[in-house]
Amino acid sequence: MHADNLVVVVTLASLLFYFWTSMRVATARARNKIVAPAVTGHPEFERAYRVQMNTLEWLPLYLPSLWLFTYYWSATIAAALGLLWILGRILYALDYAKDPTRRARGFGVQALPTAVLLFGSLGKAVALLTMHGI
Amino acid sequence: MHADNLVVVVTLASLLFYFWTSMRVATARARNKIVAPAVTGHPEFERAYRVQMNTLEWLPLYLPSLWLFTYYWSATIAAALGLLWILGRILYALDYAKDPTRRARGFGVQALPTAVLLFGSLGKAVALLTMHGI
Amino acid sequence: MHADNLVVVVTLASLLFYFWTSMRVATARARNKIVAPAVTGHPEFERAYRVQMNTLEWLPLYLPSLWLFTYYWSATIAAALGLLWILGRILYALDYAKDPTRRARGFGVQALPTAVLLFGSLGKAVALLTMHGI
């Protein structure tokens, strides 16, 4: 129960990081005079936008898996994997802004903990279904 | 427990509002003959699409915070803040459709309750971690 | 409780299907030499991207409704409706890739279970609020 507070903090830290990626879009929009509703027109803006979108795209894979892993396995390990996800996402955002072709490194660092959280939860749920039935 | 039903209703009302923003995209697509998979080609369509996307972008900040706030603090206050979020989102959608430069008002009205829900939950989780440890 | 494992498996299967739609975007990006951060430039890529985005757009409608329906009504029925959602999404993805004008069929098949899950949950929550008050 106490450890769940740790997963809450990691969850909200992940969301604050995600919010930071959307702030960078707003900043790049203003600096490069991209007038809404346009989402193209300058490489810096388009990079910032893709970083935000890719982070958004991964939140449904990451967050439910984080909490299912907490439920099935361990809040402490889930929290540690969540921190690794944030680290990978920071790398991805900074690398992508410099040079989109370098985005694989941070992408891999955030994909790894997501896979462990997702397949760890799936394995446990399937094992329990197999043992106890529906 | 009863009050949680209230937060469920506010959650689903928020999602129905979000669905309405996507219906407006479909309508604008048909009216302006934007052929899928294109998501550009007419200002009315592009505005409707950005309204939907921005609402989608904020759902991961808003919905988990709404429920964490319900868990840590109060379902009734969470529900009231959720209603304010919907109100801000309606303003944002209507203002944006008329003139994208006027979108700040509704944006602010929905950002305020999101911030209260998120930082209220974060503060409580950090306080509990500090008191009781991991 | 056992049946909840079934809904977990359906949830994670839905997310793995969603991940597959994003893999198809990556493949179409490489094959058609669409250099990041661009998200336009070839019909095959743009179709794959819209399929992923539309799936992402529906996840907030589908997943919370799936779990609220599990809570209020039945895990087994929720899981069956979730499988129908995945089936509709597969149809939508394959049809859209061939011809975007044919996307209505799969779209309808995934919209139906989403509507049952959402309005089923909303009806129960409103009924409970009416009976017991806030």
Side-chain angles (χ1 to χ4, degrees):
Chain A
M1 194 60 206
H2 292 168
D4 283 4
N5 292 317
L6 189 64
V7 182
V8 168
V9 171
V10 170
T11 296
L12 294 173
S14 303
L15 292 175
L16 286 173
F17 164 77
Y18 164 64
F19 179 69
W20 173 77
T21 67
S22 72
M23 290 291 287
R24 279 166 67 96
V25 176
T27 308
R29 183 181 281 286
R31 191 188 298 135
N32 300 294
K33 299 185 174 51
I34 311 290
V35 179
V39 289
T40 51
H42 191 284
E44 189 205 8
F45 173 81
E46 291 175 25
R47 290 172 189 186
Y49 185 56
R50 274 309 303 156
V51 166
Q52 183 201 356
M53 291 307 294
N54 190 272
T55 308
L56 174 64
E57 288 164 17
W58 275 73
L59 285 178
L61 296 170
Y62 163 61
L63 284 183
S65 301
L66 180 75
W67 282 94
L68 289 172
F69 193 95
T70 299
Y71 172 69
Y72 283 127
W73 295 100
S74 154
T76 317
I77 297 172
L81 290 167
L83 288 179
L84 187 59
W85 185 87
I86 296 173
L87 176 68
R89 279 284 152 196
I90 293 172
L91 275 177
Y92 177 84
L94 298 180
D95 286 349
Y96 201 125
K98 278 185 223 143
D99 178 359
T101 63
R102 287 193 209 157
R103 68 191 189 278
R105 181 177 65 166
F107 189 84
V109 175
Q110 65 87 39
L112 182 72
T114 307
V116 174
L117 293 167
L118 197 159
F119 289 107
S121 303
L122 185 58
K124 186 75 164 196
V126 168
L128 288 170
L129 273 181
T130 309
M131 278 199 294
H132 302 298
I134 293 171
Chain B
M1 195 58 205
H2 292 168
D4 283 3
N5 292 317
L6 190 63
V7 183
V8 168
V9 171
V10 170
T11 296
L12 294 174
S14 303
L15 292 176
L16 285 173
F17 163 77
Y18 163 64
F19 179 69
W20 174 77
T21 67
S22 72
M23 291 290 287
R24 279 166 68 95
V25 176
T27 309
R29 183 181 280 285
R31 191 188 298 135
N32 299 295
K33 299 186 175 51
I34 311 290
V35 179
V39 288
T40 52
H42 191 285
E44 190 206 9
F45 174 81
E46 291 175 24
R47 290 172 188 186
Y49 185 57
R50 274 308 303 156
V51 166
Q52 182 201 357
M53 290 308 294
N54 190 272
T55 309
L56 174 63
E57 288 164 15
W58 275 72
L59 286 177
L61 296 169
Y62 163 61
L63 284 183
S65 302
L66 179 74
W67 281 95
L68 290 172
F69 193 95
T70 299
Y71 171 70
Y72 283 127
W73 296 100
S74 154
T76 318
I77 298 172
L81 291 166
L83 288 178
L84 187 59
W85 185 87
I86 296 173
L87 177 68
R89 279 286 152 194
I90 292 172
L91 276 177
Y92 177 84
L94 298 179
D95 286 350
Y96 201 125
K98 278 185 221 141
D99 179 359
T101 64
R102 288 193 207 157
R103 68 191 189 278
R105 180 178 64 165
F107 189 84
V109 175
Q110 64 85 41
L112 181 71
T114 306
V116 173
L117 293 167
L118 197 159
F119 289 106
S121 302
L122 185 58
K124 187 75 164 195
V126 168
L128 288 170
L129 273 182
T130 310
M131 279 199 295
H132 303 297
I134 293 169
Chain C
M1 195 55 207
H2 292 169
D4 282 4
N5 292 317
L6 190 64
V7 182
V8 168
V9 171
V10 170
T11 297
L12 295 173
S14 303
L15 292 176
L16 286 173
F17 164 76
Y18 164 64
F19 178 68
W20 173 76
T21 67
S22 72
M23 290 290 287
R24 278 165 69 96
V25 176
T27 307
R29 184 181 280 286
R31 191 187 298 137
N32 299 294
K33 300 186 174 48
I34 311 291
V35 180
V39 289
T40 51
H42 191 284
E44 189 205 9
F45 174 81
E46 291 175 26
R47 290 172 188 186
Y49 186 57
R50 275 307 304 155
V51 166
Q52 182 201 356
M53 290 308 295
N54 190 272
T55 308
L56 174 64
E57 288 164 17
W58 276 73
L59 285 177
L61 296 170
Y62 163 61
L63 284 183
S65 301
L66 180 75
W67 281 94
L68 290 172
F69 193 95
T70 299
Y71 172 69
Y72 283 128
W73 295 100
S74 153
T76 318
I77 297 173
L81 290 166
L83 287 178
L84 187 59
W85 185 88
I86 296 173
L87 177 69
R89 279 285 152 195
I90 292 172
L91 275 177
Y92 177 84
L94 298 179
D95 286 350
Y96 201 126
K98 279 185 222 143
D99 179 359
T101 63
R102 287 194 207 157
R103 68 191 189 277
R105 180 177 65 165
F107 189 85
V109 175
Q110 65 85 40
L112 181 71
T114 306
V116 174
L117 294 167
L118 197 159
F119 289 106
S121 303
L122 185 58
K124 186 76 164 196
V126 168
L128 289 170
L129 273 181
T130 309
M131 279 199 294
H132 303 297
I134 292 171

